[in-house]
Amino acid sequence: MSDRSASSPGELEATDRAILRELVRDGRCSFTDLAERVGLSVSAVHQRVRRLEQRGALQGYAAKVDGDQIGLPLTAFISLTPIDPAAPDDYPQRLEHLPQIESCFSVAGDESYILQVRVASPLGLEELLRQIREAAKVSTRTTVVLSTPFENRPPAI
Amino acid sequence: MSDRSASSPGELEATDRAILRELVRDGRCSFTDLAERVGLSVSAVHQRVRRLEQRGALQGYAAKVDGDQIGLPLTAFISLTPIDPAAPDDYPQRLEHLPQIESCFSVAGDESYILQVRVASPLGLEELLRQIREAAKVSTRTTVVLSTPFENRPPAI
DNA sequence: TCTGAAAGTCACGAAGG
DNA sequence: CCTTCGTGACTTTCAGA
């Protein structure tokens, strides 16, 4: 009698959380290893992973790459403030075509959005800022990242 | 005669960049598929991936999970300002034991660090702020994320 | 560095409880 | 929802160019 929680957006059961924990740590872990670690048969794990993917709890898998080695050593945060407070709030759509923008967060506080960006150089950042202001009609405040003591650590699932 | 760029921290050659591009998009892509997409034999791709891993260009693989479904729906940015400007700068070490902190960036600007955190609730955020202030002797400024139009998009490799 | 082949592992669906 | 089982696909290594 396992504790079934909810079918779609509810909480996850212990075994599913264990699977997610392993896959966040090692996204290329084989089903065979996964099965051993969570104490189930390979097929059972296979079914659960597929269910987690369908349910959206597992949104995908990505390699982590070194920004320096791909020629994008400069990270920055850019906060956006609309110039015209009455303008329609379609900033994400106006900005998503810029590949230097890795993440876009709508936030509470003085500013409306925070962007996390990655560029090749200060000149690249300057050019990106120009593009952002032009595309979104916003004023910007930029905070340059000097170093990253740690990043994207696995959450405590 | 392929263009060898550098053995360790230099730039990467076109085929290697193609491999990284695919693996960032799909971290569980099979070597067989990878080989087809970059136009090489399976063995050659295999060797290149291993080399990219050893060189540190490929830092690992991670599953992307839905914060809501793992019970951590609240994201926030916390900026840190040291209370004692003369204190030794060991803030990352003082904070890394807090699993709610996903990323820690040392930044130029008014504040010294920006933390990206993920918690279960406003109460969890309040408790985390208390822990951060106590562990690191800093004053904090918190910006709560309301929604995330997009996040962790693959960089243009 | 590449290729191709051989051997071992693994993924994935079927059938059944 | 789990297990076992079987087949085809995949990974991984190695010799050779």
Side-chain angles (χ1 to χ4, degrees):
Chain A
M1 240 139 278
S2 66
D3 179 0
R4 300 288 305 108
S5 314
S7 35
S8 263
E11 286 296 290
L12 290 168
E13 180 244 352
T15 306
D16 285 330
R17 290 208 309 275
I19 290 172
L20 292 183
R21 213 181 302 125
E22 292 302 322
L23 284 177
V24 168
R25 271 200 342 172
D26 177 11
R28 275 183 89 84
C29 179
S30 74
F31 287 95
T32 307
D33 286 353
L34 217 45
E36 276 182 20
R37 295 181 203 169
V38 305
L40 235 61
S41 72
V42 178
S43 301
V45 170
H46 201 264
Q47 290 168 1
R48 277 174 181 263
V49 169
R50 281 181 126 42
R51 220 179 307 126
L52 288 167
E53 287 171 347
Q54 286 175 5
R55 166 197 287 216
L58 261 171
Q59 297 177 321
Y61 309 88
K64 294 176 281 187
V65 300
D66 179 1
D68 293 0
Q69 295 199 41
I70 58 172
L72 298 172
L74 211 177
T75 294
F77 290 97
I78 304 176
S79 316
L80 306 187
T81 304
I83 293 175
D84 175 5
D89 188 344
D90 57 352
Y91 300 99
Q93 290 85 348
R94 288 173 171 274
L95 296 171
E96 67 184 357
H97 70 96
L98 296 167
Q100 300 97 325
I101 304 177
E102 270 195 12
S103 305
C104 172
F105 303 94
S106 168
V107 297
D110 293 337
E111 284 114 351
S112 296
Y113 290 91
I114 292 178
L115 309 180
Q116 186 172 352
V117 309
R118 192 176 243 184
V119 293
S121 65
L123 256 75
L125 182 55
E126 183 178 29
E127 168 63 11
L128 176 60
L129 286 166
R130 190 181 2 261
Q131 290 176 304
I132 289 172
R133 289 197 210 98
E134 181 182 319
K137 265 70 177 185
V138 289
S139 70
T140 61
R141 184 175 69 90
T142 302
T143 302
V144 171
V145 172
L146 304 171
S147 72
T148 304
F150 50 86
E151 186 175 10
N152 286 127
R153 295 198 304 180
I157 301 178
Chain B
M1 243 143 273
S2 66
D3 179 4
R4 300 290 303 109
S5 314
S7 34
S8 265
E11 286 297 290
L12 291 168
E13 179 246 352
T15 306
D16 286 330
R17 290 207 310 273
I19 290 173
L20 291 182
R21 213 180 302 125
E22 293 303 322
L23 285 176
V24 167
R25 271 201 342 171
D26 177 9
R28 275 184 88 84
C29 180
S30 73
F31 287 93
T32 307
D33 286 352
L34 217 45
E36 276 182 20
R37 294 181 203 171
V38 306
L40 236 60
S41 73
V42 177
S43 309
V45 169
H46 199 265
Q47 290 169 358
R48 279 173 180 264
V49 169
R50 282 181 125 45
R51 219 178 311 126
L52 288 167
E53 287 170 348
Q54 287 175 2
R55 168 196 287 217
L58 261 172
Q59 297 176 322
Y61 309 87
K64 293 177 281 186
V65 302
D66 179 1
D68 292 1
Q69 295 199 39
I70 59 172
L72 298 172
L74 211 177
T75 295
F77 290 98
I78 303 177
S79 316
L80 306 187
T81 304
I83 292 174
D84 176 5
D89 188 345
D90 58 350
Y91 300 99
Q93 289 86 347
R94 289 172 171 275
L95 295 172
E96 68 184 356
H97 71 96
L98 296 168
Q100 300 97 325
I101 305 178
E102 269 195 12
S103 305
C104 172
F105 302 95
S106 168
V107 297
D110 292 337
E111 284 115 351
S112 296
Y113 288 92
I114 292 178
L115 309 179
Q116 186 172 351
V117 309
R118 193 175 243 185
V119 294
S121 65
L123 256 76
L125 182 56
E126 183 178 28
E127 169 64 10
L128 176 61
L129 285 166
R130 190 180 4 259
Q131 291 176 302
I132 289 172
R133 289 196 209 99
E134 182 182 318
K137 266 72 172 115
V138 289
S139 70
T140 62
R141 185 175 68 90
T142 302
T143 302
V144 171
V145 171
L146 303 172
S147 71
T148 304
F150 51 86
E151 187 175 10
N152 287 126
R153 295 197 303 181
I157 303 177

